[in-house]
Amino acid sequence: MDCTKCDREAVMHAAYSGTYLCDRHLFESVERRVRRRVREDDMLPADATPEDPETWVIGLSGGKDSVVLTDILHETFAEDPRVELVALTIHEGIEGYRDASLDACVELADQRGIRHEVVTYAEEFDVEMDDVVEDDPLDMAPCAYCGVFRRDLLATYAEELGADKLLTGHNLDDEAETALMNVFEGNVEQVAKHFDASLGPFDERREKAGMIPRAKPLRDVPEKEVALYAQLRELPVHMAECPHSSEAFRGEIQDLLLALEENHPGTRHSIMAGYEELASLAADEYGDEDRDVGECEACGAPTTREKCRKCALVDAVNAV
């Protein structure tokens, strides 16, 4: 079927909107939503100047989402001296997987002339995920370890790189899955944290002291559209899934969401529209709670325990 906008051959059908899009209008659609999110979340403050620009650190994994986000932001702000982009890649130590995705990161950064930094679990924590999975000292899913390590390094190095904001490539499916998981678990406080961490506009959030504000400019775009964008743009992308990925609950939620979207197009958008309103209310209720937050005795990171979760996991892994 022809594109409803220009009579060109369509490359995809967006069932939630009823439109058939050619490659050119798919590109415009994805880019427009990313740029609109940047505006609506007020990511670029009015006081940013060429003399005092914003530094945005992008978590670049080499997968489709982070590559597409990096490419669109580069195209949008390449000529804008108020924004400096820095790509940050975390190497977890997964043989045959992260090396290939790192190649994609290096290629993209070189092509676009973007500063690119790489940090590794081995250098930072003296651990590699392949060994963590094999030993599994706490009998947890690999993602439970890796998620903590990754978030810590992204936050730590974003601060070292002087970031004003830390950007990640979460798409619409990712965010809708997280929303359903929080609701199904009845975790209202986590819903509030979700709003303040990355969902709410920057002028409505209650940011934790010392934390780099996070943003997800890709979160209005469905995963399949991100993948098609990357393919048609011929971007350097590593499409393989992590061999240690095993988040059972998220996998069930993902299957449920895909079935709902197929039978009721627009479900993901509806979930997020309602969830963001609920998350805002939850943040109003829980966001002002005064917590006894101290410093980790090992690394100095903010924590409510003697040791932060990252240091506790590193100790457990290295004790094996």
Side-chain angles (χ1 to χ4, degrees), residues 38-95:
V38 169
R39 291 194 305 272
E40 290 185 354
D41 284 355
D42 196 24
M43 284 182 55
L44 184 58
D47 59 358
T49 65
E51 294 74 30
D52 185 23
E54 284 268 298
T55 298
W56 293 354
V57 171
I58 306 172
L60 179 61
S61 68
K64 63 185 185 311
D65 301 306
S66 64
V67 166
V68 167
L69 175 62
T70 302
D71 192 62
I72 292 175
L73 290 178
H74 173 263
E75 182 177 330
T76 302
F77 293 105
E79 303 300 325
D80 192 332
R82 298 174 301 166
V83 176
E84 294 182 355
L85 300 179
V86 181
L88 174 60
T89 299
I90 310 297
H91 195 307
E92 307 93 341
I94 302 173
E95 187 176 359

Side-chain angles (χ1 to χ4, degrees), residues 86-141:
V86 181
L88 174 60
T89 299
I90 310 297
H91 195 307
E92 307 93 341
I94 302 173
E95 187 176 359
Y97 170 71
R98 185 52 70 199
D99 289 336
S101 63
L102 178 57
D103 290 341
C105 296
V106 171
E107 182 178 348
L108 179 71
D110 286 347
Q111 288 177 355
R112 304 298 186 265
I114 299 173
R115 179 183 175 187
H116 182 216
E117 302 291 336
V118 181
V119 297
T120 71
Y121 287 5
E123 292 177 351
E124 298 296 324
F125 307 135
D126 195 27
V127 303
E128 293 194 340
M129 275 308 300
D130 284 340
D131 296 328
V132 173
V133 172
E134 182 177 351
D135 297 330
D136 191 12
L138 299 179
D139 192 26
M140 301 193 308

Side-chain angles (χ1 to χ4, degrees), residues 21-287:
L21 298 178
C22 66
D23 53 358
R24 180 164 61 87
H25 284 106
L26 169 66
F27 300 155
E28 291 178 0
S29 175
V30 172
E31 293 160 5
R32 181 174 62 252
R33 279 173 283 178
V34 171
R35 291 163 182 160
R36 181 179 64 201
R37 177 54 58 192
V38 169
R39 291 194 305 272
E40 290 185 354
D41 284 355
D42 196 24
M43 284 182 55
L44 184 58
D47 59 358
T49 65
E51 294 74 30
D52 185 23
E54 284 268 298
T55 298
W56 293 354
V57 171
I58 306 172
L60 179 61
S61 68
K64 63 185 185 311
D65 301 306
S66 64
V67 166
V68 167
L69 175 62
T70 302
D71 192 62
I72 292 175
L73 290 178
H74 173 263
E75 182 177 330
T76 302
F77 293 105
E79 303 300 325
D80 192 332
R82 298 174 301 166
V83 176
E84 294 182 355
L85 300 179
V86 181
L88 174 60
T89 299
I90 310 297
H91 195 307
E92 307 93 341
I94 302 173
E95 187 176 359
Y97 170 71
R98 185 52 70 199
D99 289 336
S101 63
L102 178 57
D103 290 341
C105 296
V106 171
E107 182 178 348
L108 179 71
D110 286 347
Q111 288 177 355
R112 304 298 186 265
I114 299 173
R115 179 183 175 187
H116 182 216
E117 302 291 336
V118 181
V119 297
T120 71
Y121 287 5
E123 292 177 351
E124 298 296 324
F125 307 135
D126 195 27
V127 303
E128 293 194 340
M129 275 308 300
D130 284 340
D131 296 328
V132 173
V133 172
E134 182 177 351
D135 297 330
D136 191 12
L138 299 179
D139 192 26
M140 301 193 308
C143 296
Y145 297 96
C146 196
V148 173
F149 296 154
R150 170 178 287 276
R151 285 191 294 272
D152 179 85
L153 287 183
L154 284 173
T156 298
Y157 275 85
E159 183 175 1
E160 289 197 13
L161 292 167
D164 293 287
K165 295 178 177 67
L166 173 59
L167 281 53
T168 58
H170 292 80
N171 58 52
L172 175 63
D173 297 58
D174 296 328
E175 292 298 280
E177 289 163 15
T178 298
L180 287 183
M181 290 171 68
N182 288 341
V183 171
F184 287 173
E185 291 174 338
N187 197 337
V188 181
E189 188 171 350
Q190 188 60 38
V191 173
K193 290 179 180 178
H194 194 186
F195 181 86
D196 285 334
S198 59
L199 286 184
F202 284 96
D203 60 352
E204 296 180 20
R205 299 187 196 177
R206 300 166 181 81
E207 302 286 354
K208 289 184 179 180
M211 295 291 288
I212 304 297
R214 300 196 175 206
K216 301 171 181 176
L218 204 63
R219 65 185 175 90
D220 298 314
V221 185
E223 181 175 19
K224 287 185 178 180
E225 294 180 34
V226 177
L228 188 57
Y229 183 102
Q231 178 183 358
L232 294 175
R233 282 286 197 196
E234 298 183 347
L235 298 175
V237 171
H238 183 233
M239 295 296 289
E241 291 189 11
C242 174
H244 301 316
S245 178
S246 59
E247 291 186 273
F249 185 37
R250 181 174 288 272
E252 292 180 37
I253 294 296
Q254 185 179 55
D255 292 341
L256 172 63
L257 188 60
L258 289 173
L260 287 170
E261 184 68 30
E262 182 175 354
N263 294 327
H264 309 281
T267 294
R268 292 165 300 189
H269 294 83
S270 298
I271 288 172
M272 288 311 300
Y275 178 79
E276 288 184 31
E277 289 193 35
L278 291 173
S280 177
L281 296 174
D284 288 340
E285 180 67 23
Y286 288 92

